[in-house]
Amino acid sequence: MSDTEWYAQPVERVFETLKSSGDGLTTREAEVRIKKYGYNELKFKKTGVITRLLLQFHNPLIYVLLVAAFVTAYFQEYTDTAVIVGVVIANTIIGFILEGKAQSSIESLGMMMPHYCTVLRDGKKMSILAKELVPGDIVLLKSGDKVPADLRLFYAKNLFIDESALTGESIPVEKSTEPIQKPDLPPADQHCMAFSGTFVTQGSGKGIVVATGEQTELGKIAKIVMETREISTPLMREMAEFTKIIVITTLAVAALNFVLGIAFGYDFFYSLMASVALAVAAIPEGLPAVLTITLALGVTALAHKNALIKKLPSVETLGCTTVICTDKTGTLTKNQMTVVKIYSGGKYYSVTGVGYEPEGEFILDNTKIDPSQDGDLIEILRAGILCNDAGLTVDDGEYRITGDPTEVALVVSAMKAGIDRNYPRIDEIPFDSERQYMATLHKGDGRNILYVKGTPERILEMCKHQLINGRVKPVMYEEMLKVAHEMAKDALRVLGFAYKIVPEEKGRLTVEDLEDLTFLGFQGMIDPPREEAREAVEKCRRAGIRVVMVTGDHAQTARAIAKHLGICGEEDRVVTGEELSRMDDEELQEIVDDVRVYARVSPEHKFRIVRQLQKKGHVVAVTGDGVNDAPALKVADIGIAMGIMGTDVSKDASDMILADDNFASIVDAVEEGRHIFENIRKIILYTIPTNGGQALMMLLAVILAPFIPLFTLRLPLEPIQILWINLADAVFLALPLAMEPREKGLLEKAPRDPGEQIINRLFFRKVGLVAVVMAIAGFTVYYYFGAKALSNPGDELLLTQAQTAAFAAVIAVHIFYLFTARSITESALTFSPFSNKWILAGVAISAATLLMIVYVPSLQIPFRTTAIPPEWWIPIILLASSGFIVIEVEKFLIKRLGKS
């Protein structure tokens, strides 16, 4: 029954199918049906608190942190253990609070359904719990009601329903009762239906319940949201793969190291400690914490750009977005109806200024004019503000509106010309959908005036005359209709205006008075595009990001706005919801890479569009503000909800919230996302090569021990020293890379390939070069200063000094490498060392802590170091500088050869 096209059925057949009548169901029949159909409510599975909490640990970054915590605890470095565990707990709490809100999107959907409703049962009017509604019930609607189920209307008196949350339609929809004989209509075009969760803004109506609970349009959305899995971000997928490779490789090499140690005849404990040291050296314990902090810094930066991130990894996803599926109303446009064109007295006027601020100019033939000197223009503007129930007031510098947005636009256009409501209203005939006009009677100067506004056709029917250049002439009906149609082609909402002078004693207004009127002209209004949106769309084009408009608005309006913003051209195809309903997924996949505008779409259509784009390999960002957007927001790689106009459902289903509802803020966020990823890449390409160098030292120490007896006495580095290097390096040296200023031209490049692996040619080259440089520096220093210990086997001080020198050399290599790691491709000599003061601070702290560990007695014991002679620092620094020189030469050669 849920698949029946109720809007296409005559009312009599609907009653017959549902076995109901105008008096409603009997109480007994309702009880029978509730057992058959169930309660009118949305059911959803709720993840328990404990399960949600445990799921926060299901993260590859957290796995590495937990391994690091275990290692530090093993070596009784409980301070480091406490720090790492603290980071894990902080991550868990943040994830629990923010990501745990995802399931509340279904709860928000449930809250849209009213608690009570008015029905006819046993022929009597009564109020019942909305959850007890069943198909066949008769529901009574009035202004202010929330629709409790999907209804087929059979009575509608001036009935308007706000369906914006469900369909995206910004203006309340006028309802009727006549069936519509068109297949596959989206909900926005089903004018004889009222849908669950929408609001009655005007009039009254009656409808028969045709769907309840999960069978309603609202229920279908809830079902899609519940069945949609969370999308893993590119960074999370890469880090999961990267972590797996690092762990497997580390365990394999550590095991090989242990086997070689035993094979070479080393002591079991020596072989085990060497393998443990290698594992500690290879695993980047501090990297997960640094990446988390880097993403958190990105969240803060984006917040300053009006983009509020709910899930940390989503920050990076922005950087590889290839398609943005955007709403129209409020995102690309201002969601403020504005009069932009006026036809009066045979002339076309353009009106500047957008939104509700009454500031703008009137342009005639490309020349600015004074409206007060144009009688025809003044008359139509006066008609617009007087035949009007809307209001516009200023409160603390902010403009506040009351009433219908269309009428507000007319008030603003009149105020731009300095016209106010100086003619008191005496009487009125309110707007009625059947009459299609509104009329008001006003007290003028020694006479009374009636003004009428409404649809162009209806207003012209009432008119006998036309005002042209201050003179009254016969109305040119056909020509004026043609003008109205031409204005409508520009996606303008067009209203006609007329007036009539009546005697001063006239105090009552009747329908009979609305004859022989004088036609004043038309005012055309539109929800104007945001000024900055066109530039933002162009930025996306240059950045290799395709902008696709997916809207519930009419195709003609959608095309006009999209064309103005540069989203599509004159010849580009606009696909409607009706066409989408007739396409299967394979047909949609064939066109999805070419279509830039979709109009009159349903929630399911938007969901399908996103899924097919993802199947084509795109990283898709989706904007939305209504309940209808929730499925697409959740399935998108990054869902972006509107902070001002967005519903709770859309915000709960999203990954990011725009505080200003502005498309331009999305583009700013994309640029920031690319910047954040570049810094993340710098951190990874700094951290892993340095870890690789330490691991290579440990592995070579075992392999070369038969040839270099010094390595049989003691390893070049102690496990505790390696652990300190990794953690301190992450905090003092790697983390400042997260503060690197944005590089130029980020939006001039194509989006990053989401399939691109962290472990690639560049990665191996950096790891190889830095690992070799670090191993050579560490070995050379250790051997040079420790060789004397071979002739004095019992001299532990010499071995400790040599080990301390190697420890200092490794940290020094890290410091030198940091300066060149600030840019992956550009020479460090091309930018100022002071452009990132955090780098200088980190280097200073690293150098200071190194000196303290070497020379402060209380720190020498836990770190197993000792003081070294001052003159030793000269060869240490000279050898360590190779960490800078080698990579700078590598960059020069790669750039010269034109390779990556």
Side-chain angles (χ1 to χ4, degrees), residues 374-397:
D374 191 319
D376 293 356
L377 179 60
I378 288 294
E379 282 300 330
I380 192 172
L381 292 171
R382 184 176 285 118
I385 194 172
L386 292 177
C387 189
N388 196 314
D389 289 328
L392 179 69
T393 57
V394 182
D395 185 9
D396 293 331

Side-chain angles (χ1 to χ4, degrees), residues 168 170 326-337 527-530 532-533 549 551 553 561 565 623-625 641-646 658-666:
S170 57
T326 177
D327 237 348
K328 177 185 72 69
T329 306
T331 309
L332 295 171
T333 64
K334 285 182 167 290
N335 197 23
Q336 297 177 351
M337 294 298 288
D527 180 9
R530 293 179 180 269
E532 61 274 25
M549 180 193 289
T551 178
D553 218 329
I561 296 295
L565 293 173
T623 74
D625 55 9
M642 301 298 109
I644 300 173
M645 301 299 293
L658 283 186
D660 60 355
D661 289 11
N662 193 341
F663 181 82
S665 295
I666 301 175

Side-chain angles (χ1 to χ4, degrees), residues 638-756:
I638 179 162
I640 305 169
M642 301 298 109
I644 300 173
M645 301 299 293
T647 59
D648 288 340
V649 177
S650 63
K651 292 175 185 176
D652 289 339
S654 67
D655 306 294
M656 183 174 102
I657 298 173
L658 283 186
D660 60 355
D661 289 11
N662 193 341
F663 181 82
S665 295
I666 301 175
V667 181
D668 289 340
V670 167
E671 186 175 22
E672 188 64 36
R674 291 188 177 187
H675 171 223
I676 291 163
F677 178 75
E678 283 300 308
N679 284 350
I680 286 175
R681 194 158 70 130
K682 291 171 188 175
I683 290 169
I684 292 173
L685 289 176
Y686 167 77
T687 304
I688 303 303
T690 52
N691 281 91
Q694 294 161 190
L696 182 62
M697 285 179 65
M698 296 300 102
L699 179 62
L700 291 178
V702 173
I703 294 174
L704 297 177
F707 312 103
I708 304 177
L710 177 64
F711 294 146
T712 61
L713 300 178
R714 192 180 295 182
L715 293 168
L717 294 174
E718 294 288 335
I720 187 60
Q721 294 171 347
I722 295 171
L723 186 60
W724 168 256
I725 291 171
N726 288 354
L727 292 176
D729 184 59
V731 176
F732 302 137
L733 300 180
L735 188 56
L737 285 173
M739 308 301 292
E740 274 296 294
R742 184 185 306 162
E743 295 183 12
K744 294 179 180 180
L746 285 177
L747 282 182
E748 304 300 321
K749 303 174 183 177
R752 180 175 66 88
D753 181 1
E756 179 187 348

Side-chain angles (χ1 to χ4, degrees), residues 209-286:
V209 176
V210 296
T212 58
E214 294 179 358
Q215 302 302 319
T216 63
E217 291 296 324
L218 190 67
K220 291 174 186 176
I221 294 173
K223 188 175 181 182
I224 295 173
V225 172
M226 282 188 285
E227 293 175 351
T228 302
R229 293 183 177 182
E230 292 289 331
I231 298 295
S232 176
T233 70
L235 178 64
M236 294 306 296
R237 292 194 292 269
E238 290 168 26
M239 286 306 300
E241 187 66 25
F242 175 71
T243 301
K244 189 189 303 181
I245 293 172
I246 287 291
V247 171
I248 292 173
T249 303
T250 299
L251 292 176
V253 174
L256 173 64
N257 193 69
F258 178 74
V259 171
L260 288 174
I262 298 297
F264 289 157
Y266 298 140
D267 178 71
F268 177 86
F269 183 74
Y270 175 89
S271 300
L272 178 63
M273 289 306 296
S275 299
V276 170
L278 186 149
V280 173
I283 293 177
E285 294 89 353

Side-chain angles (χ1 to χ4, degrees), residues 183 267 281 337 395 433 516 622 636 641 762 775 791 827:
D267 178 71
M337 294 298 288
D395 185 9
S433 57
D516 299 336
V622 173
L762 175 67
S791 55
S827 170

Side-chain angles (χ1 to χ4, degrees), residues 93-95 97-102 233 235-236 291-321 621-622 637-643 650-660 665-674 676 680:
I93 293 173
I94 292 170
I97 293 173
L98 295 181
E99 296 188 31
K101 285 188 174 182
T233 70
L235 178 64
M236 294 306 296
L291 292 184
T292 300
I293 294 169
T294 303
L295 292 172
L297 290 172
V299 169
T300 303
L302 286 168
H304 288 112
K305 296 179 181 294
N306 295 310
L308 311 178
I309 295 291
K310 291 170 58 182
K311 304 174 185 178
L312 289 182
S314 299
V315 175
E316 178 270 339
T317 309
L318 284 164
C320 51
T321 298
V622 173
D637 294 280
I638 179 162
I640 305 169
M642 301 298 109
S650 63
K651 292 175 185 176
D652 289 339
S654 67
D655 306 294
M656 183 174 102
I657 298 173
L658 283 186
D660 60 355
S665 295
I666 301 175
V667 181
D668 289 340
V670 167
E671 186 175 22
E672 188 64 36
R674 291 188 177 187
I676 291 163
I680 286 175

